[in-house]
Amino acid sequence: MTSVVWILQFILTPALSPLCIGVIKKMKARFQNRVGASIFQPYRDLWKLLHKDETMSRDASWIFRFAPYIVFTVTLVVGASIPLFALFPSHIMSSDMLMIIYALAIGTFFLALAGLDTGGAFGGFGSSREMTLSALAEGGFVFSLLTIALMSGTTNVFSIAGSGVLAQGQYVLPVFLAFIGFFIVLLAETARFPYDNPATHLELTMIHEAMILEYSGKRLALMEWASANKLLIFSAMGANLFFPFGFAVSVDPQAIIMGIAILFMKLFVFCFVITLIESSMAKFRFFRLPDLLLISFILNAVALGLIYSL
Amino acid sequence: MELFIIFAAFIVATIISSLVKQRGVVEFFSVAASAIGLFGALRVALQVAATGSYTPVALLHVDALGAIVLLVIFCVGFVAAIYSIAYLRMETSKNIIGVTRVRQYFILFNLFSLAMLLAVTANNPIFAWIAIEATTLSTAFLISFYDKPSAIEAAWKYLIINSIGLLLGFFGTLMYFTSVIVSDGGAFMSWQALAASAAGLDSLIAKIAFIFVLIGYGTKVGFVPMHTWKPDAYSKAPNPIGALLSGALLPIAFITLLKFKSITDAVVGPQFSQQLLIVFGTLSIVVAALIMLNAKNYKRLLAYSSIENAGLMALGFGFGGMGAVAAILHLIYHSLVKGVMFFSSGNLLLKYHSAKIGKIKGALSVLPTTSVLFIAGFLVVTGVPPFGMFVTKLQILSAGIQAHPAVSIIALAFMALIFISFLKHSTAMFFGEPPKDVVHGEGGIWLLIPPVLLLAVIIMLSFYIPPFLASLLHDAAALY
Amino acid sequence: MFALLASPTGILALFSFFFVGALGSLLTRKYDTLANAWSSTLAIMGCIWGLLVASAVMLSGATVSFGVGRAVLPILVISFHSDMLSAFFIFLISLIGLLCSVYGIGYIKHYYGKYDIGVLGFFYNVFILGILLVVTAGNGMFFLIGWEVMSVASYFLIVYDRHEHDNVKAGFLYLVMTYIGTTFIVVSFLLLYKYTHSFDFEVIKHSIALVPASVKNAVFVLATIGFGIKAGIVPLHIWLPTAHPAAPSHVSAFLSGVMIKVGIFMMIRLFLDVLQPIPLWWGAVVLMTGAISSLLGVLYALTEHDIKRLLAYHSIENIGIILLGLGSSLIFTSLHMLPLALLSLVAALFHTLNHAIFKSLLFLSAGSAINQVHTRNMEKYGGLIKYMPYTAFFFLVGSMAISALPPFNGFFSEWMTYQSLFQGIMLSDISIRWMFISAAGALTFTGGLALACFVKAFGIMFLARPRSAEVSHAKESSLSLLIGMGSLAALSLLFGVFSGRVVLLLEKIARGFTIFQSTESYITISNSQAISVNNGFASISGVTFLGIFILLLAVVGIVVRFGVYRRQQLRVGATWDCGTDLAPRMEITATGFAQSIVLIFKGILKPSIQHEIEYQDSETRYLPKSRTVILGIGDVYQSYFYQPLRKIVTLLSLRTKHIQSGNVNTYISYIFIALVIALLTIL
Amino acid sequence: MTTLISQLLLEIVFGTIVFLHITKKNFSMVLAYALQSLALSAILLGSFFETGNMPLMLIALFELLVKVFLAPIFFIKLIQKHEVPFSTSTYLNTPLSLIVIAALTFIAYSKKFLPLSSIVASHQALLALALAAMFLSFFLIINRKGALSQIIGILSLENSIVAFSIFAGLEQSPALQLGIIFAIIIWLIIARVFMSMIYKHFGSLDITAMKHLTD
């Protein structure tokens, strides 16, 4: 039975992520009171892209060709090493908080390089903006996870979720501040609204789309899938680390199904909040984004300071 | 016995170089005289190391420090003689000077060596004074060797300032003699007798006498307020003479000063003289370092470097204890390295015909060996390890840090400034593109052997000090 | 054999290799190839022997200390003392020396005929000899001799390519700053000598109680400035970005990888071993300088478009990270939390080792690229990956290692530094805690910015299309260069994946210090190479991460390539450029890439942007023909501290030159005044 | 010899130095120096009559010969050869230099220098006067711009030192005195040669022209 849990842990992220994207797109459509495509449309898009022919630029080197595989695999590895529905597969050694952060950095690294590789103007600007944002977001990211890690006395992501120290009311304010900081970083890392509009291809504003502009066919599918995975990873981390309840306690199928259901519910709440932001807020000008990220860093630093002074 | 042979050798050399017309003969005798001088000095040094002192006759006496300085004088003198031949040959071939001038040069050179020998070995303070006066007179003409207005100006200033200094020194010596009860014995008052009768000297008179002697012979050594003649004299004198002036004449004046210091210390105790030496030493290092920063002429640069090293030696003796031993060793290294630097700068002068630092570009590609020698000399003189002067410099400073921390730290800071200014000037001279019209290639083998010889001696002395020299060092330090 | 290695003869044999190498290359100056062969082989044999000796001493744990000969002056005692720490540094020096010399064999070929190879070989061997003397010296005096031999030899290596004028200027600035640093160090040793009457480190250590607290603080400040200049911490770093690029590449790799670490070596030995017990503020000062150096180092690197200057600034940044580890270790020792101090010291040593490896890898690969393209300006590069695939791959490995991406060694040492900072944050004292929070913040931002900087460096240099004709003539470097770089890349991966084994050894080394003799360690290494800190607070394993990553990569590759649908066609066309013809001008430049970050941090960097627009016709000035943007960074330190200092000293020297006024009467009046003053003092 | 006569002779020496400060003509400076040396040799003769040892007489005569006859002739020949009748002016005008002279004499007589002048208690006044003479000749060298006047300044400094040593009871052995006088002779010859060289190169004996060697 544990092997089923292991398999589930590995395949859950890639399986669920297109669904999240579908749900967000559906809700955005609803907000703009149009019907919108079905929530399984992303699956069909991926299937279509995987079968299409591919065109590639003459200047591209092997980095352009292998980047999608590396970026996608990184999201798989990180997806497998964060708590999704159960806590017991915690002995995976790669679930340390810093390991996750820097593994995601590999993804950003190769994504930016792929953007630069084809030598087009768009790719270069996309990579430059992406690296600026990820450089500034890293501070907030590390500090938000550090706050809850220091509260629960360990940096292993599974044991943070299981430590339950957050349940006692003592640390409510630091957790709340850390969560706000984390959510700002989430929007930055997954190229969501105030930072970058996922739907547009407008040269002036696009960051993530610019880097994968040159891709087509199965490589584009992998890239799209990887960004979907990243969205799921961040929302799952936000949900399970900051609101650690409803995990499957034992291996029997009945508890597992209940765990997955609670995971579904949490993710749905996250998707709803993201859609709410996307529909209500305008995209910030690029040079106001650093102030937003600095706010997230300051919030987390204050949260860190608060832990011990209480 | 050896001293008489050396005397005879130099007198013969002077007479021959004044009578004989052929240049070859004059050169041969001068070099032979210096060679005999070196050999004699070596034997005297060995004997002094064995027996403690060497007095062939009442009038002449050589103690440990005297033996060391004698050895240094003739080592530099011999190498300078060889270099002078090649140097003057090059000068005559470029018809800057005629053959008569060369003969005059060697007459004065031998007289100068004779006077120096007498100054070191004289057992009587007044004879020492007369000998030093003779050195001043013989070098006055050597400085005005090139018969240009600037050379005359330099020689005149050298003559006037040194005469005043020596007169003050004479007055100081007389002050010391007041302690001697009037008797016919006063005729040949030797250093030992003076030291013995020092007890009778009134303390205040001893202090005043030491001040006069310090200011007097300090002018000869070149401590700061009295140093003004040095840069002019060194920059206008021919290079071998510059080497002798800083390598040989400076130590003689210094040890005469030290002989008087030992007498005053017997009367008044060491603190007084040490205090004065520290004041003058620090002043010399500070002012020399500041002026060196933008010197325009590399021979004046060497002059200020001599002033700075004289200041450091004064600090060494001022701090006393191990500082004194290090100061004597520093004296040896300094004389030898000044030889290397003056000879290599002589080669630069022959090739570029200008002593201005600004006019010398890309010397490393034009004169590779000379530039390497000059850079090695610069590294030694500023006290960069692994050469010996680094250890002596730090030994002096570590002796000084005990009692006078502030002085040693100021000295160290300004010695760093000296290294920086030396580096600035040598990078300006040696790197970069050489001017088009300068033909590449060294002057001649004989222009290179003397500096290489001296550098080899320094490197040997940096790592291994022969036992007889070591024992001489410790005896000398014990005396002063 | 083991005993022979870890013994005085072993160490003396080590020095003799380089001594013979130096002399030999001088003698064979006339024939370039022979001189190159002689100096390189001797250096390689010396380094191999150094590796053996170091590992023998490290494994046996013996401290080899012996004196040689007796000099006339008592202070010059030639005594060697190589304990675990110096053995580790000998290992580091020999490792990098070996690979740089292998690289050098091929690299020196392009100097044939231009310069004298024998002289290069001579100074190269003397330079390594100097560094080895520094790490094995037993007393202060002998240490200073080794220190200055190293500085002077490296000066001559920097100005080796002397026809280039700014190499000479860089060399001059380097030696002036180093000499000022040495003066600070000499003053601190003299102050110690004043109270302990000896230069020998062991004697000073045992009689440290004699030294009053105020003097110890003075020694700390002087030593930090002195060694800080050599290590290149921020306010004193102005020589580093000009000096390292000037040297030949295999030498600048050695300078950047090893020489700046020697300053750290002496700081560790002095602060953790000789001057114990230490007050708290020492650690705080080191921590703060580390944080400032790392943040400013990476920011200045971002503004650079000269490759070697960029790498030199990154050396400053990594020195800052090492100082973070060292600073936290000092703070923990002063708070008597020795296990934590041991942890952060191991972090500092591990990052020193890793930085030596990946920085020299980066310098070597940059050197082989510059060797082909003959310019250091990044804007002229582009598309080099198609002409020099191996160099590009090694530069990529180096960039991933320096920006701390997991499978490589950079990540694991930065992780350890993070752990020591986290332990610091958990301290009770509020002021110290906020110091650690700001240090951790600086480290996070440094990590992010370093990633951005190396995406810029690698992307602009190697990817997309060539921006100048030079690039298309580039050919892959010769075999010896590739071996040098390849082994460094392999080492970088090996030390990353098997970091557990390395951390264990480093802990054994750190235990060499008397204060850490009996402390129980917070680091446990499980069988699967996992390092766990502070009984389970945090634990990572390089092997498992790499294992899972490669497994999943294989699965994804197979599924996507073969599983889904094999008959896709791959059409190779031109990059999408909205229809205009594709010109190299359209690619992003290094300045463009970094401009957004530079504008965000313009408060600190104070950039100056000039626009030059060339118009078609000068009267109407309506249709611009070309527009260039120059982003310049004012050197704050030069203009606000070093220039005024230089001006004061020159002013002072001009004032004193008036003494030499030329008039005899004034000269005589000087003597008269001196006489009168002296007489008045005593009468 | 009674202190009165030696007092008188020393005053002559002192007076000549003051006169040297005031005169403008070279010729009169040389004469003043000759007078000074005459007074000095007279003192020496006086001490010979007292002690009665023969070598002292020899020295006095030799000094008479050298300093009173030989040196002035040398200088006069130089003046005629180069037609340099007027020595150049001084840095301080006459009244100011007189004030400085007065100040220096006061310092020499002040109790500050008492230990120096009381080496031989009886000659206290004489020694103070000799000391004043020394300071004045030192100031003469500083004040004068002409090369000849500087040489004469140095010679008068030497004379006042010898005077001081005589009165301080330092009847040196004749050999040493001879040695000193011999040194002075050589010095004179060289100074003379140098002055002619200066004249050849600079056209005048004014040493203010020599200020090129600054750096």
Side-chain angles (χ1 to χ4, degrees), chain B residues 319-400:
Chain B
F319 294 144
M322 280 320 294
V325 178
I328 300 168
L329 200 55
H330 193 88
L331 185 129
I332 300 170
Y333 288 134
H334 170 251
S335 306
L336 298 174
V337 82
K338 267 297 168 313
V340 173
M341 300 199 77
F342 267 105
F343 297 152
S344 44
S345 59
N347 298 350
L348 282 177
L349 190 66
L350 286 177
K351 178 63 76 173
Y352 283 88
H353 306 301
S354 148
K356 288 273 176 289
I357 294 174
K359 294 228 171 33
I360 295 173
K361 279 269 170 293
L364 205 56
S365 25
V366 171
L367 295 162
T369 333
T370 310
S371 321
V372 165
L373 283 171
F374 191 91
I375 290 172
F378 137 62
L379 289 178
V380 171
V381 90
T382 39
V384 165
F387 299 109
M389 261 174 134
F390 170 74
V391 179
T392 50
K393 181 173 83 166
L394 275 180
Q395 175 72 53
I396 291 173
L397 289 177
S398 56

Side-chain angles (χ1 to χ4, degrees), chain C residues 51-95:
Chain C
L51 283 173
L52 296 175
V53 166
S55 29
V57 173
M58 277 198 278
L59 297 179
S60 70
T63 54
V64 180
S65 66
F66 57 96
V68 169
R70 213 206 60 72
V72 175
L73 292 177
I75 56 166
L76 175 65
V77 175
I78 304 173
S79 74
F80 297 93
H81 173 84
S82 77
D83 55 5
M84 297 294 282
L85 183 69
S86 68
F88 167 70
F89 272 87
I90 296 176
F91 177 82
L92 192 72
I93 295 162
S94 325
L95 184 69

Side-chain angles (χ1 to χ4, degrees), chain C residues 64 109 119 121 151 175 208 225 257 279 288 309 342 364 370 409 660 667:
Chain C
V64 180
K109 285 197 174 55
V119 168
S151 316
L175 198 54
I208 197 70
I225 296 171
M288 278 305 116
R309 280 176 66 91
L342 185 66
L364 294 185
I370 294 165
N409 56 4
Q660 208 66 19
Y667 294 166

Side-chain angles (χ1 to χ4, degrees), chain B residues 153 156-157 160-161 164-165 168 204 207-208 211-212 215 219 224-232 272 276 280 287 289-291 293-296 300 304 322 325-326 329 364-365 375 378-379 382-386 388 390-399 401-403 405 408-409 412-417 419-420 423-424 427 430-434 462 465 470 473-474, chain C residues 29 70-76 78 140-142 144-149 152 155-156 159-160 162-165 168-169 171-177 179-180 182-195 197-199 222 646 649-654 656-664 666-668 670-683:
Chain B
E153 178 182 341
W156 173 261
K157 286 181 186 166
I160 290 295
I161 293 173
I164 290 170
L168 292 178
L204 207 55
K207 283 187 181 171
I208 296 168
I211 284 177
F212 271 96
I215 304 275
T219 326
V224 152
M226 305 83 78
H227 71 292
T228 41
W229 60 274
K230 223 179 224 276
D232 305 340
F272 171 70
L276 270 171
F280 278 102
V287 170
L290 286 174
I291 296 179
L293 193 57
N294 34 37
K296 299 283 181 297
R300 297 181 77 93
Y304 288 118
M322 280 320 294
V325 178
L329 200 55
L364 205 56
S365 25
I375 290 172
F378 137 62
L379 289 178
T382 39
V384 165
F390 170 74
V391 179
T392 50
K393 181 173 83 166
L394 275 180
Q395 175 72 53
I396 291 173
L397 289 177
S398 56
I401 195 85
Q402 308 289 359
S408 6
I409 290 171
L412 188 68
F414 277 96
M415 276 189 266
L417 185 65
F419 176 83
I420 293 165
L423 183 70
K424 182 175 101 161
T427 31
F430 292 111
F431 298 113
E433 291 308 316
S462 308
I465 299 209
L473 262 174
H474 286 293
Chain C
R29 256 153 29 111
R70 213 206 60 72
V72 175
L73 292 177
I75 56 166
L76 175 65
I78 304 173
M141 189 51 57
F142 194 55
L144 282 172
I145 291 180
W147 183 268
E148 289 222 12
V149 161
V152 169
Y155 164 73
F156 285 113
V159 291
Y160 180 67
R162 63 178 186 275
H163 289 319
E164 189 84 33
H165 180 56
V168 174
K169 258 165 14 84
F172 174 69
L173 180 65
Y174 163 72
L175 198 54
V176 163
M177 289 291 282
Y179 200 84
I180 292 169
T182 318
T183 318
F184 276 103
I185 299 164
V186 165
V187 170
S188 61
F189 280 159
L190 283 178
L191 284 177
L192 284 175
Y193 176 81
K194 183 173 160 65
Y195 290 92
H197 301 295
S198 138
F199 278 107
L222 293 169
R646 212 161 55 84
V649 172
T650 352
L651 196 73
L652 214 61
S653 101
L654 285 174
T656 40
K657 257 158 82 73
H658 293 320
I659 295 178
Q660 208 66 19
S661 62
N663 177 332
V664 176
T666 31
Y667 294 166
I668 301 161
Y670 291 153
I671 302 177
F672 188 64
I673 291 160
L675 183 68
V676 167
I677 290 169
L679 287 174
L680 290 181
T681 54
I682 60 155
L683 288 181

Side-chain angles (χ1 to χ4, degrees), chain C residues 605-624:
Chain C
L605 294 172
K606 292 193 179 41
S608 60
I609 300 179
Q610 291 106 9
H611 296 269
E612 276 149 25
I613 308 164
E614 196 195 341
Y615 289 95
Q616 300 288 9
D617 45 5
S618 56
E619 305 84 19
T620 55
R621 290 159 65 90
Y622 185 62
L623 296 167

